Every structure is written in C-alpha cells, then in structure tokens.
Amino acid sequence: MSIFKKKKKGDLPAISTASLPDIVFMLLFFFMVATVMRDTELIVQNSLPKADQVTKLDKKDRVMFIYIGKPHERYQQRYGTGDMIQLNDRPATAQDIQEFIKKERAARNPELEKVLTAALKVDRDSKMGLVGEVKQELRKIQQYKVNYTTVVGSALDQ
C-alpha cells in the first residue's frame, strides 16, 4: 500500500484552464460588436444649428458628408482661423468637391447613384458665402439631392 500517496487535508485541487480560451474569445467578440469606429476625424468645428422640422436620413450608405466650419483650435496654426471645407478626413477647397463627388459615386453601387445625397454639416457660425460656393460646385456635377444636417430644437433658441 505504500504505492498510493495520501492526500493532505489542506491541498486545493488544480484550477482547470480548459474554458479559458472560450472566455477570451467571448470577450473578444463582445468588444468587436460593442465598439463603434469613427469614420472621420473632424478638423472643423461643427456645432450644428437647431431646427424644429427635422427628418432623419434612414440609410447612411447613401450619404456623402461635407463639413464646413472654422478649424478646431489644435488645427488653427496649420489652416488659419477662417471657414474651411472638410471632405472625409482632409481639408479641401470648393473646387475639390467635384472630384470628391466623382470618387464617392464610383465607390458606391451604380444603382444607388440616383439616390446619393450630399449632406452639408455646416457650423452655425459659418458664413453663407462658402456654403453658396459648395452648392454651386454641387450643381456643376449635377448633385441635386442636398441635405442640411441639424439638431432637433427651436431655431429661435440659437
């Protein structure tokens, strides 16, 4: 009987690590699903104006965003303090809009070309002269579906 070892009363059993990979993968999938990736980094200030009659765009894959406003403080040394245009992640001029629209149309499904909408996210303190230039460039490229993005609220409470 000396072959068998006697258990001591204070010994704990070994912890099973068989389910550890399952737990790690569950956490990985949770964070992959729960994390939201930002599409663009805003270079311009974008405090949107308020409006009381607002309709939400239901399909984001049919929208091209054009941002207009003054540069954030951290970008003012590089871009100045005047109003500027941002297309995706890069600053642009009004003349760059036609090329931007062509690239966006080419990157999307050809059936969606007629329903693509240009959404203008214009800072409430921006000058309308630059917005007018953007609208002229959109007309030249025959982009007639234009949306002004706002937040819900009373226009009088600016």
Side-chain angles (χ1 to χ4, degrees), residues 45 47 49 69-70 83 122-127:
Q45 294 176 7
S47 56
K70 295 188 184 333
D83 287 343
V122 182
D123 186 64
R124 68 172 140 217
D125 297 326
S126 294
K127 305 290 184 226

Side-chain angles (χ1 to χ4, degrees), residues 32-75:
M32 286 174 53
V33 170
T35 303
V36 177
M37 302 296 282
R38 177 175 271 191
D39 292 336
T40 59
E41 179 185 352
L42 286 180
I43 297 172
V44 298
Q45 294 176 7
N46 205 317
S47 56
L48 298 173
K50 295 180 180 178
D52 54 0
Q53 297 179 2
V54 178
T55 305
K56 187 173 182 175
L57 292 175
D58 48 336
K59 299 192 178 179
K60 298 276 185 181
D61 62 333
R62 300 175 181 186
V63 181
M64 305 169 284
F65 292 102
I66 300 172
Y67 302 93
I68 301 174
K70 295 188 184 333
H72 277 290
E73 292 177 6
R74 62 179 179 254
Y75 297 111

Side-chain angles (χ1 to χ4, degrees), residues 20-35:
L20 190 60
D22 295 335
I23 295 170
V24 169
F25 281 112
M26 279 190 336
L27 286 172
L28 177 69
F29 286 127
F30 170 76
F31 286 114
M32 286 174 53
V33 170
T35 303

Side-chain angles (χ1 to χ4, degrees), residues 104-117:
E104 288 291 316
R105 286 177 180 169
R108 304 253 168 80
N109 196 346
E111 291 98 32
L112 296 178
E113 187 172 328
K114 290 184 173 51
V115 294
L116 284 177
T117 303

